[in-house]
Amino acid sequence: MHGSNLRSLAGRDDVLAAVLQSLRRPGGYGAVVAAETGLGKTAVGAAAARALNTETPVYWVYSSPALTAVPYGALAALLPDLAPEETGSPLAVMRALTARLDLHARPGRTPEKTVPVVIVDDAHDIDPPSLDLLAQLLDAGRIRLLILTRAFSDVSAVLPHMWDGQLSRHRLTALTEAETQQLCEEELQGQISATAAIELARLTGGNPMYLLALIEESVRSGVLLQRHGIWVLSDAGPPLGGRVGDLVKAQLRGLAAEDRATLESICLAEPLPLSVAFELKMHSSVDTLVELLLIQVVTEEDGRTALRPLHPLYGEVIRRMVPAARSSRLHKQLQEVLPGVCVGAEGLVRWVAWSLDLGAPVQADALLKAADAANNRSNPRLALRMADAAAGGPQQVQARIQKARALLQLGDADAAATAAAGTLEEAPDLESLKQAVMVEVRLSMGSAGGNGWAVGLAERWTRAVEHLPGVSAAEVVRKAHGGAQMLLLLGRVRDGDYAEAELEMAPALQQARESGAQERILFLEALTAEVLLATGRSRSALDHSRAAMAMLQMEAPGALLYRPFVLHRHLAALLWLGEWEEVRECVASADSPVQQTLLHLAGIADFALGLSRLRTNSLDAAIRHFTAAAEAAQDNDTEGLLRLSQALGSFAAGVLGQRELAGRLLRSAESTPPRGPLQYQLLAEGMIAGALAARDSDDASLQRLRDAADAAQERSCSAVEFTLRHLAFRIGDFSEAARLLKVSEGLEGPQAPVLNKVARAVVDQDVAALVELAAGPDSDPEMDLLLIRQCLYEALRLARKGNDRALLNRIQRLVGRQGSGRTPLPELTRRERDVAALVAAGHRNAEIARQLNLSVRTVEGHIYRTYEKLGISRREELRARFPSLEDAAADWKPLSQPE
C-alpha cells in the first residue's frame, strides 16, 4: 500500500537542477554528489539519468566493498567482451571501455550530445584502477562524469578536478522538517500530525531511506495509525525490526570486532562521556566510527563532551541487537569506570534501563531518580517501567507519584488518579510533596468540573507541609504559605480574576527573585505572562514567557516539572504577536529542546501551527492542523484546546465552503464540555458561535457571539474580547464597532492598530477609509481576506446610501477583483439562500425580516452579500438569473464589471 505511489525527490530539486546543469556541459565536465547512506544520492543520480537518457548515452558503474580489491572490478559490467587474460592490462581495459562507449554514441547529434555520461554509484568503494581510468577519460573529454560518494575526500586524491570547477561539488543534507512532512504525506497518502512527522524526523535525522523504512514498519506494526483521517503516533515506541533493522545492520557489516564493541557501548550507554571512551582505550574506534558516519561527538547541555549514534534510530536498533552475554560484558566493563563520572540525567536513565534489561540490581534511589528524569524528559514508558521496579521498595509513595506522572503523559488520567491517591498526604519529603501536588493540579485541570479545585488543594498542601518530618517551624510557615499562594493564584487566573491575581503576583515575583526561589520564579513568570496576555499586554507577556523558557533551557532546579505549563503560555504569547518563525522553531523543529514534551501535550504543536496558518490566510493548512490538534487532544486536554481546535477548524472550513467538515467539527465542539482557563472557554464559545454565524448567518448565532464577547469584556479578558469582536467584523457584523474601537486602543500586538482603523472607519461611515484599508497600496498584512471582503461590502452599502455612482462602480470593481483574485468566494450560506428565495419570490425586506424573525438590517446585509457573491446589483437580476435556489452555488458566474 505505502510505497506504490511515485515518490518525489523531496528536498532534492535544487541539487538535481545544479547537477544536470553541470552534466550538460561539454565532455570533460561533470559533478560529484556527497552524502551519507540513505540521503538520496542514488535517487538524484537516477533522476539525472532519466532526464539525460533522451539526450545522450548514460552508463552506470556500481561499486561495492566486495570489489574494492579487484582491479577494474567496478567496470566489469561495461567490459563483457574483454578476454580474461587482458583484465590486468590497463591499456586493454582502456581500449575495451572506449570501444563500448563509442559503440553507443548516437548518430545525428552534436558532439557535446554524443559524449556519454558515466554515473559511478558508491564511489567510496570503487577500486582505484577503475577510478583512475575514468579520470583519464574525463581529462580526454571522452566522458562526462557523475560521482556519487559518501564524502568528497573519498575520491579527491584521484579526482582533483572537483577543486578547479571541472567537477561541480554538491553535498546532500538531511531533509528539513517541512520536507520530512511532505515525504511522509506522499508515502502515507494522507495527512500526518505535525508532532508525529517531527518525531519521525528526529528519529531518522531527516534521512529519507530510514524515514521511508520507519514509516513502513510503523504502519505495519500499528505504531503509526490513522484516526479520523489523521496519521498519529501511538505511545508504543518506534518499531525496530523488519526493514528498519535490516538497513541499520547493513551499515555495520564489515566493522572490526573492536569497532563494533565500541559502537554498541556508545548506544547502550548513550550519551557516553568522551572521557570514559578514552579511559577504555576506544580512541581508534571512535575515529573510525566518526569517519563512517555512525557516531558523532556532541556537546551536551551541561557542557560535557559525549558520544552519540549519528541518528537516534541507530541507537534504538543497536541496543536491541546486542546479545545478552555481550551486553552484560560491556555493562561490567563500563561499570568499572563510571563511578564518579557525571553522566547527566539522560545518561542515568539509559544506564538504569540497561541494567533492568540485564536483570542487574538497581538501588531504589537510582530507580526513582531515573524515573523522575525520564518523566522530566517526556519519556513516560521508561518512567513507568522504573517506577514499577521501585514499587516494592521502601519508597513506595515516591514510586506511585512517578507512576502517576508517567500515566498522565500517556493520557490515562483514571489510572494516574488511582496511582496518586493519598500520595499528597503520605509524601515523606518536600520534593515528593511538590510532585504529588503537580499531579493533582494536572488531574484537576484536565477535568470538566470547573476551576474551583484550587482552594481545597491549597488547604491539603498546607496540612501536608505541616506534617513533613524534619522541617523547622519557620520553614513550615514559609513553604506552606508559598505553595498555597501559588495554587490560589493559579485558581484565580484560571477563573479569570486577573486584576486580583496581578496585584498579588507582582510582589510575589519580586520576593521570589530576591530569595532566589527558582521554581517560584519560573511558575510566576509563566503565570504573569498568562495574565498580561489575557488583558491585552502581549509584548510584556512575551518578556515574561521568554524568561521562563530561558530557565527551562538552563534546567534550573525543579524547572523541568513545569515545562508543559510554561510552553503553553509562551506559545500563546508568540502566536498573539505573530512571531511565526519562533513558533516554528519551538514546535516544528526536530532540534527543539521541547520536542519530546510536545509528543504528550495534546496537539499543542498542530494547534499553534493552525493558528499561525489561520492568521496568515492559509485556511486549508489551518484546517489540517486544527483537525490534527483536536484528534491529539481527545485523551489529554488540560488547557481546553480540544473544543477550541474543533471550533477554529469548523470556522475555517466554513469560510472555504467545506460545509460537511465544518458541520462535523461544529457538532463535536458543541458536544465537548468546556475545560481549561476561563479565557479559553470564552474563546471557544465565541468561535462556535462565529462558526454557526458564518454557516447560517442568523441573528441568534450573531447574538451568541456578541454575548461571548460581552462576557469577556465583563471579566477583563481584553484579548478574547478583541478576538471575538474582530471575528464578528470578519463575518460582516459591524454592530459593535464602537466597542471594538475602544478595546483596540492600547492593546498590544500587530492586529490591534489595524482593527482600530477599521472600527474608526465604520463608526465614522468613512467609505474612502474603508476602501483604502481594504485595497490601498499600503494595505496592512493583518488585513486578512475575510476582513478585506467585509470592509468592501460595508463600503458598498454606505456608497449605495450616498448614491455616488462613480464611487459605487469603483467599489464594485474592487469587490469583483477581490472575489476572483486572491481567494474564491464561498457558496451562499443557508440563511442567504433563505433570504434569496424570498427576494426572488417578490417579498420586500420588511416582510422577509418578519417571516425569518430577523432584523431588517440583517436582511439587507444578507442581500448585499448575496449580490456581491453572484455579481449582480438588483432584485430583478436575482429573479431573472437565479430561478432555482436549491443550490445557491451551482454554476454561477459573476457578471463582468465595467472597467
Side-chain angles (χ1 to χ4, degrees):
M1 176 182 73
H2 309 285
S4 58
N5 54 318
L6 184 62
R7 294 166 181 155
S8 69
L9 279 175
R12 304 295 184 243
D13 291 337
D14 290 345
V15 171
L16 175 60
V19 166
L20 287 172
Q21 184 178 8
S22 293
L23 292 175
R24 285 180 171 131
R25 293 184 293 177
Y29 288 90
V32 181
V33 178
E36 66 164 285
T37 301
L39 279 185
K41 55 185 180 292
T42 302
V44 169
R50 286 194 298 271
L52 295 170
N53 200 41
T54 57
E55 304 175 13
T56 190
V58 177
Y59 299 93
W60 282 85
V61 172
Y62 297 100
S63 310
S64 73
L67 296 175
T68 301
V70 179
Y72 307 111
L75 298 175
L78 297 179
L79 305 171
D81 299 326
L82 187 66
E85 63 273 12
E86 294 182 319
T87 54
S89 168
L91 184 58
V93 172
M94 173 69 83
R95 287 173 178 166
L97 182 59
T98 53
R100 174 66 183 272
L101 298 178
D102 290 343
L103 177 66
H104 291 81
R106 301 184 181 181
R109 295 187 180 274
T110 57
E112 64 271 14
K113 293 292 186 182
T114 61
V115 176
V117 171
V118 177
I119 302 176
V120 184
D121 199 11
D122 289 335
H124 46 272
D125 287 327
I126 196 171
D127 60 282
S130 290
L131 187 60
D132 184 64
L133 183 55
L134 292 173
Q136 293 178 49
L137 291 173
L138 183 72
D139 286 333
R142 301 292 298 272
I143 62 170
R144 288 172 285 181
L145 192 58
L146 174 56
I147 296 290
L148 309 175
T149 187
R150 190 170 49 206
F152 295 129
S153 58
D154 292 328
V155 294
S156 60
V158 181
L159 291 174
H161 313 71
M162 69 177 72
W163 308 117
D164 61 13
Q166 193 173 345
L167 293 174
S168 60
R169 287 172 292 141
H170 311 273
R171 186 182 298 279
L172 293 184
T173 57
L175 297 180
T176 66
E177 288 80 2
E179 291 162 352
T180 298
Q181 181 146 6
Q182 174 193 340
L183 186 55
C184 286
E185 295 188 344
E186 288 176 358
E187 184 68 7
L188 293 166
Q189 300 177 37
Q191 181 185 350
I192 186 172
S193 75
T195 307
I198 295 162
E199 176 62 4
L200 292 174
R202 185 192 71 82
L203 284 168
T204 60
N207 184 301
M209 180 178 72
Y210 293 121
L211 177 63
L212 292 169
L214 187 56
I215 290 172
E216 180 182 328
E217 287 300 315
S218 297
V219 172
R220 187 188 59 77
S221 61
V223 172
L224 190 60
L225 45 93
Q226 202 170 24
R227 293 178 182 161
H228 299 105
I230 309 295
W231 288 96
V232 296
L233 280 174
S234 72
D235 288 305
L240 306 175
R243 185 164 165 247
V244 173
D246 291 342
L247 287 173
V248 175
K249 291 173 186 176
Q251 300 305 306
L252 310 186
R253 292 195 189 106
L255 278 182
E258 182 181 0
D259 298 337
R260 188 184 185 99
T262 297
L263 177 60
E264 290 170 346
S265 297
I266 291 168
C267 293
L268 287 164
E270 179 186 3
L272 181 67
L274 187 63
S275 59
V276 171
F278 286 171
E279 187 170 346
L280 292 172
K281 307 296 190 291
M282 295 179 175
H283 307 68
S284 177
S285 291
V286 167
D287 291 342
T288 299
L289 294 171
V290 168
E291 185 179 349
L292 291 174
L293 301 178
L294 291 172
I295 66 168
Q296 56 184 329
V297 182
V298 298
T299 302
E300 298 294 314
E301 293 175 354
D302 58 5
R304 293 177 299 110
T305 303
L307 300 170
R308 288 181 179 271
L310 185 66
H311 303 311
L313 193 64
Y314 284 1
E316 297 284 358
V317 172
I318 292 170
R319 280 191 287 272
R320 302 283 184 92
M321 285 171 45
V322 184
R326 189 157 73 234
S327 179
S328 179
R329 187 171 64 253
L330 294 172
H331 186 269
K332 291 177 182 177
Q333 184 183 41
L334 283 172
Q335 200 168 25
E336 294 175 359
V337 297
L338 275 179
V341 177
C342 177
V343 296
E346 186 181 355
L348 173 64
V349 171
R350 187 69 61 200
W351 179 261
V352 170
W354 186 8
S355 300
L356 291 176
D357 287 340
L358 294 171
V362 183
Q363 293 183 349
D365 187 56
L367 284 169
L368 289 172
K369 285 181 179 178
D372 180 54
N375 272 323
N376 289 340
R377 281 159 176 76
S378 300
N379 195 335
R381 288 288 177 193
L382 273 181
L384 194 59
R385 183 184 178 198
M386 293 163 184
D388 284 339
Q395 297 170 297
Q396 294 184 32
V397 173
Q398 296 96 315
R400 285 161 51 204
I401 293 170
Q402 296 303 331
K403 182 174 183 175
R405 291 181 63 197
L407 289 167
L408 276 173
Q409 291 190 67
L410 293 170
D412 194 344
D414 292 339
T418 300
T423 55
L424 194 152
E425 287 73 22
E426 300 171 23
D429 55 73
L430 186 60
E431 184 60 34
S432 299
L433 178 58
K434 285 190 292 189
Q435 295 201 15
V437 167
M438 288 294 289
V439 168
E440 293 287 350
V441 167
R442 286 201 62 187
L443 286 168
S444 301
M445 287 169 62
S447 71
N451 295 315
W453 45 265
V455 174
L457 191 54
E459 292 173 354
R460 291 175 63 195
W461 160 269
T462 300
R463 288 196 298 270
V465 171
E466 290 171 351
H467 289 89
L468 282 177
V471 182
S472 67
E475 190 175 5
V476 164
V477 172
R478 182 168 58 84
K479 297 290 186 184
H481 171 74
Q485 181 187 39
M486 295 205 310
L487 288 167
L488 292 172
L489 281 171
L490 177 61
R492 290 193 190 108
V493 171
R494 287 180 72 86
D495 280 334
D497 296 331
Y498 301 120
E500 183 180 348
E502 188 173 2
L503 285 174
E504 192 173 345
M505 274 194 300
L509 180 56
Q510 181 61 33
Q511 183 181 11
R513 286 169 175 162
E514 291 171 356
S515 64
Q518 295 296 303
E519 287 183 59
R520 294 191 69 198
I521 295 171
L522 177 69
F523 174 81
L524 290 169
E525 290 280 19
L527 199 62
T528 300
E530 182 174 352
V531 170
L532 292 172
L533 188 62
T535 51
R537 293 165 286 174
S538 52
R539 290 195 177 90
S540 303
L542 185 58
D543 290 339
H544 285 275
S545 72
R546 278 179 172 156
M549 287 294 289
M551 293 180 70
L552 280 183
Q553 290 168 10
M554 291 187 295
E555 297 194 5
L560 295 181
L561 194 63
Y562 298 88
R563 179 179 273 173
F565 182 80
V566 172
L567 182 58
H568 272 287
R569 282 134 193 90
H570 181 56
L571 283 172
L574 292 174
L575 288 164
W576 182 266
L577 288 169
E579 299 286 350
W580 311 131
E581 185 59 29
E582 197 168 342
V583 169
R584 191 202 66 77
E585 290 174 359
C586 192
V587 304
S589 169
D591 296 326
S592 169
V594 297
Q595 164 55 24
Q596 289 295 100
T597 304
L598 293 171
L599 286 172
H600 308 284
L601 271 192
I604 183 64
D606 273 300
F607 179 79
L609 293 171
L611 272 181
S612 69
R613 300 298 188 269
L614 187 65
R615 282 271 302 276
T616 53
N617 296 313
S618 302
L619 296 186
D620 276 318
I623 294 168
R624 289 158 53 84
H625 285 299
F626 286 135
T627 306
E631 180 56 42
Q634 294 287 340
D635 301 321
N636 184 13
D637 184 26
T638 59
E639 298 289 347
L641 294 186
L642 173 57
R643 195 167 188 243
L644 189 52
S645 297
Q646 292 164 335
L648 287 164
S650 175
F651 176 76
V655 169
L656 290 181
Q658 299 177 14
R659 299 178 66 81
E660 182 179 349
L661 176 60
R664 177 170 64 79
L665 289 170
L666 192 54
R667 288 189 297 274
S668 298
E670 294 213 85
S671 65
T672 299
R675 56 166 54 93
L678 177 71
Q679 59 172 323
Y680 279 15
Q681 295 185 31
L682 290 173
L683 187 57
E685 170 64 19
M687 291 305 307
I688 290 171
L692 282 167
R695 185 188 72 180
D696 300 335
S697 298
D698 63 316
D699 280 354
S701 299
L702 287 172
Q703 187 56 52
R704 182 178 172 184
L705 175 56
R706 295 186 201 110
D707 290 345
D710 290 343
Q713 176 186 347
E714 184 180 345
R715 300 304 294 269
S716 300
C717 295
S718 305
V720 174
E721 181 195 356
F722 171 84
T723 300
L724 296 182
R725 301 208 190 279
H726 178 189
L727 175 62
F729 266 39
R730 297 173 80 190
I731 57 179
D733 178 19
F734 294 99
S735 60
E736 298 292 331
R739 178 58 198 169
L740 180 57
L741 180 65
K742 182 174 180 60
V743 75
S744 59
E745 290 175 353
L747 201 72
E748 295 177 3
Q751 291 181 300
V754 179
L755 267 294
N756 185 265
K757 293 177 184 177
V758 174
R760 170 58 65 193
V762 172
V763 168
D764 294 344
Q765 298 192 7
D766 189 337
V767 178
L770 285 169
V771 172
E772 182 66 22
L773 284 163
D778 299 322
S779 181
D780 195 285
E782 292 295 336
M783 286 289 293
D784 63 80
L785 300 178
L786 283 176
L787 186 58
I788 288 172
R789 185 179 301 147
Q790 297 301 343
C791 283
L792 290 174
Y793 287 165
E794 181 68 4
L796 191 61
R797 187 184 71 82
L798 294 171
R800 281 186 173 130
K801 287 174 61 176
N803 203 28
D804 184 336
R805 297 304 303 175
L807 181 59
L808 191 61
N809 287 337
R810 181 190 171 212
I811 298 172
Q812 285 178 325
R813 286 196 299 272
L814 290 172
V815 169
R817 246 186 252 127
Q818 216 281 321
S820 60
R822 286 186 281 179
T823 186
L825 283 169
E827 62 182 78
L828 296 184
T829 66
R830 185 168 63 194
R831 185 62 76 190
E832 287 168 347
R833 291 200 298 275
D834 294 340
V835 171
L838 293 171
V839 170
H843 293 281
R844 300 173 63 83
N845 290 359
E847 295 170 338
I848 297 171
R850 283 195 299 274
Q851 190 164 336
L852 297 179
N853 196 27
L854 302 173
S855 68
V856 173
R857 172 151 185 179
T858 298
V859 170
E860 290 174 349
H862 289 322
I863 293 172
Y864 288 137
R865 281 189 289 276
T866 300
Y867 283 176
E868 297 315 319
K869 288 180 180 182
L870 304 178
I872 59 180
S873 60
R874 297 192 307 278
R875 297 170 99 87
E876 293 78 8
E877 290 177 294
L878 182 60
R879 284 194 291 269
R881 299 189 64 222
F882 197 28
S884 172
L885 295 172
E886 293 182 0
D887 183 357
D891 299 323
W892 264 91
K893 298 188 184 299
L895 294 172
S896 59
Q897 299 287 346
E899 293 297 330

